[in-house]
Every structure is written in C-alpha cells, then in structure tokens.
Amino acid sequence: MNKGLSVYLEMVRVVATFLVLLSHAGHFGPLWLQDILGEARLGRDGVVLFFVLSGFVITWCGKEKDKNLYSFATNRMARIYSVAVPGLLLGIIASLIHTSVQGEPVDYTINKAWLYYPIFLSFYSQSWLGFLFPAGNFPYWSLSYEVWYYVFIAVVLYANRYRWLLIFAVVLIMGPYIALFLPLWGMGALLYVCKDKYTPGRGTALFLFAATLLGFIATKVTAFDSVLDEFNHYVLGTPPKFIPAKQFLGDYFLALLAVVNFYSAYHLRIRIGELATKAVKALACFSFSIYLYHNPLFLLLSLVPFFHDAASWTSYILAVVFALVACRVLASFTELKKKPLKAAIDRTADYLLKIKTRKVTAK
C-alpha cells in the first residue's frame, strides 16, 4: 500500500468517526440541528465507510502484513480487546451513574452480567441469540459484525483443507443479519484483491474521485439513500424479527460510492502534505476510542444541567470537544497500549503451548 493511499484511508477513518460522533452529539444541539442530523443519518454513513474500509485494510493485513493465522488473529485480538473491554466497562459505569441519578431501573444486561457480557465479549450479540446492546454503549453493536468478518476472511486466506466447508460454517454461525451485510464488507476486500486488474488513466481516476465525492453530497442533499431504503421490502420481502432490514439498499449504494472512491484514490497516487499527514495520524491513532467511548461519555454529560437544558450550538460544540479530549486521555491507557496487550497474548499463547507440549511428552 503506497504512503499516500495509507494516509488517505486514515483520513477516511477519521471522517467516518466524526460522522458518528457529530451525529450522536446531536441531542446537545439546537432542535433544528437535531432534525437535520436525524434525517441525514450520518452515523449510518460512518458505519458503512468503516465496513468498506475494514474490508480493504484487513485483507491487506492478511495478505501482506500478517504472514500466518496466528499473527493475524493475535493482532486483531489486541486491536479489538484493547478498546472493547474498556468500552464495556465505561458503558456499565455510565449506565449505573445515569440510572442512579435519574432514579431508573438498572439495565437488564447489568443485572445479568454473568449471562450477557460473555456474549458481548464473544461478539455474538447481533445474531441467532437476538439483538443485544450493552449498557450505556449502543455503538458496540457493530463489533459483532466486524469480528465475524475477520473470522470469515481468516478462513478464506488461511484455511487449506475444507475451506468451503469452513466458510459455510462461519456464515451459518454468524447468522442472517450479519451475513446480509457480509458482501458490503466484502466489497472492500474484493477491491484490494482486484485493484490492479485495470489501471485507469489519471484523468479517468480524477473524474471518478470527484464524481464519488459529489455523488455522496448529492445523495445526502436529496436523501437518495433513504429513498432506496423504501424499496428494501421488494428485495427482502417481509423479514422475520431477527432481520430488521430497515437499511439495506441505501447502505450498499453508499458502499459502492466508497469502493469507487478508494479505487480512484489508489490509482491517483495521492500525495498529502506533511502537516496534513501529522494531523490525520494524530486523530486516527485514537479513532477507535472515539467511536467506542463517546456514547458513555455523552450519557454522563447529559446529567450536567447545562448540557441537559441548553440545546444550543455552544453545548453541542462543548460536548464534542469534551468527548474528543476525554477519548484521547482514555486512549493513552487503552488503544495506544495495544502493543503491550499483544505481547501479553503472545506470552499466554507460549505458556499454553508449553503446557500442551509437556502433556504430550508425558504421554
């Protein structure tokens, strides 16, 4: 992956993160802004970008960076759990404080934490068991998709025997709704594999790049993605309860724009200035923390009278700034410490391997 594309994709990750953050901060802003953000559904756009981007980057990791399944799996574990576990804990704390102050019942997932949190930690909360959301941290739902897509691509890239049988088993286990959006994530993966099959001229690449950016703006201004969603029932029929396909066609249309945009950016060999690169990297390094920590932080912030009652531009901007600063501080102890976590995972694996070796030798 060339340096320009790498920085550009990090920029996309930052943009996707901010789409989610700014959308979820809407209830701190004036009513007209809340209405606009509700109609625009920018949070949905951010998640679609995340999925396509993840498909591209994770496939690159599997084919170029991680040389074997162990390396691939442990790198993904360190990346995910370094933020997922603190995100769940932060959600629990925020939910308990919020319900205590508001005099509301404790969230059902906390009351039966022994049952629900192992499900959340195994990323099986959006599948055959139903649609479960951890206390105080609604955005956590998307990890159940991401992780199972990692398992899918790991089987595709590393399984030598029984590959097709294993692929079928993984798709069956992940469940219908996660499988429904697997091709969307797969669009990013397929782009990485096929990006050099055809090399467009610079003029064509520039046209596609500009057209996709303008296409996204036009889609949001005209609400074309929402219009497409109205035809979901023609594709899926009347879905059962475990497939609440409220957004489907619109998501795939946005994903197609993203794929063409990434493809054109790759062939444009984009060059990004040093100052802009530093700014992007400074935000990208804790973007996962922003995504997974902002909701519990907003829940706590809503208890402060000023933020609860203001509903103004001032409260909106201050809420966003607070979330960014708090997430950066928390990332210093979590997301930015994934290397020590990776080392701990390696040591644990070595220890378990030694125990296994001793047992085999003893026999």
Side-chain angles (χ1 to χ4, degrees):
M1 190 185 302
N2 62 68
K3 182 179 178 181
L5 180 66
S6 176
V7 176
Y8 177 72
L9 294 181
E10 286 191 320
M11 185 185 301
V12 171
R13 180 148 53 96
V14 170
V15 169
T17 303
F18 270 80
L19 288 176
V20 175
L21 175 67
L22 296 177
S23 177
H24 290 176
H27 59 279
F28 293 113
L31 293 178
W32 63 266
L33 179 62
Q34 295 180 32
D35 292 338
I36 291 175
L37 291 174
E39 290 292 327
R41 296 192 291 182
L42 297 179
R44 161 234 186 108
D45 303 335
V47 172
V48 170
L49 280 175
F50 280 133
F51 280 170
V52 178
L53 180 63
S54 173
F56 186 92
V57 173
I58 297 302
T59 304
W60 168 74
C61 289
K63 292 182 71 67
E64 305 293 338
K65 185 178 179 182
D66 300 312
K67 300 304 180 183
N68 52 56
L69 177 59
Y70 174 82
S71 176
F72 179 87
T74 53
N75 280 327
R76 302 291 80 72
M77 288 174 64
R79 170 68 172 163
I80 292 294
Y81 281 114
S82 65
V83 180
V85 173
L88 289 173
L89 292 174
L90 185 61
I92 291 172
I93 293 169
S95 179
L96 287 173
I97 293 174
H98 189 271
T99 53
S100 175
V101 173
Q102 297 293 95
E104 298 172 351
V106 174
D107 190 273
Y108 72 98
T109 61
I110 297 177
N111 281 329
K112 292 188 176 181
W114 58 271
L115 172 63
Y116 290 110
Y117 279 83
I119 295 175
F120 295 136
L121 288 170
S122 61
F123 308 102
Y124 208 63
S125 59
Q126 300 287 305
S127 189
W128 296 107
L129 298 178
F131 295 90
L132 308 171
F133 302 91
N137 206 335
F138 178 78
Y140 191 92
W141 69 267
S142 66
L143 295 192
S144 292
Y145 291 70
E146 278 285 328
V147 171
W148 280 102
Y149 297 154
Y150 294 170
V151 175
F152 176 85
I153 198 65
V155 170
V156 171
L157 295 178
Y158 298 108
N160 294 318
R161 299 180 62 187
Y162 310 114
R163 177 178 295 169
W164 288 107
L165 181 61
L166 289 172
I167 289 174
F168 175 78
V170 169
V171 173
L172 182 63
I173 293 170
M174 70 171 60
Y177 198 51
I178 297 177
L180 185 65
F181 290 89
L182 175 60
L184 190 150
W185 190 91
M187 289 167 70
L190 188 62
L191 172 63
Y192 180 79
V193 174
C194 300
K195 65 186 184 302
D196 293 310
K197 297 292 184 182
Y198 172 74
T199 303
R202 184 168 180 80
T204 302
L206 186 59
F207 170 78
L208 291 174
F209 185 80
T212 50
L213 293 179
L214 293 174
F216 174 75
I217 294 172
T219 298
K220 303 315 296 182
V221 171
T222 62
F224 181 64
D225 51 343
S226 297
V227 172
L228 286 175
D229 285 335
E230 294 178 5
F231 295 90
N232 282 339
H233 64 281
Y234 290 113
V235 178
L236 301 171
T238 302
K241 292 183 178 180
F242 54 82
I243 308 181
K246 299 175 182 177
Q247 301 173 355
F248 177 71
L249 292 176
D251 286 346
Y252 272 87
F253 177 75
L254 292 170
L256 181 61
L257 288 178
V259 166
V260 176
N261 181 265
F262 296 171
Y263 172 76
S264 58
Y266 171 72
H267 288 287
L268 276 174
R269 304 287 177 179
I270 292 177
R271 293 182 180 180
I272 299 176
E274 184 177 350
L275 185 62
T277 297
K278 289 182 179 179
V280 168
K281 289 184 176 294
L283 290 169
C285 72
F286 71 107
S287 59
F288 191 18
S289 294
I290 297 174
Y291 179 77
L292 214 55
Y293 298 160
H294 76 272
N295 202 75
L297 292 171
F298 283 162
L299 190 62
L300 291 173
L301 202 61
S302 67
L303 296 174
V304 179
F306 171 76
F307 290 97
H308 180 73
D309 302 327
S312 64
W313 269 111
T314 302
S315 57
Y316 180 74
I317 293 171
L318 287 177
V320 171
V321 171
F322 166 77
L324 289 174
V325 173
C327 287
R328 181 60 181 84
V329 172
L330 291 170
S332 299
F333 304 97
T334 57
E335 184 174 3
L336 300 179
K337 297 296 184 181
K338 58 180 176 287
K339 288 184 178 179
L341 178 58
K342 171 65 164 60
I345 292 172
D346 288 337
R347 288 195 298 270
T348 303
D350 289 341
Y351 176 74
L352 293 174
L353 182 61
K354 288 178 181 178
I355 293 176
K356 182 180 179 180
T357 302
R358 288 172 186 170
K359 289 183 178 178
V360 172
T361 303
K363 289 180 181 179

